[in-house]
Amino acid sequence: MAFHRKTVVVVEDDLRLQEQLVKILERPDDIECLYAVSSGEEALSRIPCDPPDVVLMDIKLPGRSGIDCIRELKKGHPEMEVVMLTAYDEEDNIFRALKEGASGYLLKTSSPDDIFNAIRDVFSGGAPFSSHIARKVAQHFRKDREIEDENQKLSAREHEVLGLLASGYIYKEVADELDITIETVRTYVKRICQKLHVRSKVEAIIKYRA
């Protein structure tokens, strides 16, 4: 039975780690690493011409940062998923990355299985990120926004969709649960983000949970 291989691009300036990641991504049958680049400038030049399903993006790059790259890449390819790579649990940078549209983050010390699962998760509509970061972002929303009032702007069906996503459902599971298509789920998510004044599904989920 034919299946779609999840294509990945690695953006990492540490060439030793970059090589390790590329080799790791050769293992699973359902994942294909298209290529790797070592700077933000190279990423912004090459990725728009040959976009993958998922980008593994180092946060701290020479020149243009990984966060800058998310902002630019999402303008032309909003459907492309970006998972940040970080050496430490850098809360402020992770928060900025999520606001720009990152779908999650991985520590560079993550196991191969964690990397594979994160790629599969974001490809299916999931959002892999630590509970510690989720709490920090939720606290930010509590201080700066009236979450309850904004959530009331959502329709009943939008509440259902967001509630399921917040419970860990992926797009296909939401579609099956509500008897709608995956594309309809994506449309609801886009409307939810607009109404909650957020840039990504991850931010909408965190705001919903706060």
Side-chain angles (χ1 to χ4, degrees), residues 72-84:
E72 294 302 317
L73 291 173
K74 282 287 188 176
K75 288 179 183 177
H77 298 276
E79 76 290 346
M80 188 164 55
E81 305 289 357
V82 182
V83 176
M84 305 307 293

Side-chain angles (χ1 to χ4, degrees), residues 167-182:
S167 297
Y169 282 57
I170 62 175
Y171 283 5
K172 184 179 185 305
E173 292 170 335
V174 174
D176 291 344
E177 179 73 19
L178 300 180
D179 196 23
I180 56 179
T181 67
I182 293 178

Side-chain angles (χ1 to χ4, degrees), residues 144-157:
D144 295 345
R145 299 181 185 179
E146 292 295 329
I147 298 168
E148 184 176 352
D149 289 345
E150 292 191 354
N151 281 346
Q152 289 175 356
K153 297 177 184 177
L154 301 181
S155 69
R157 181 48 65 98

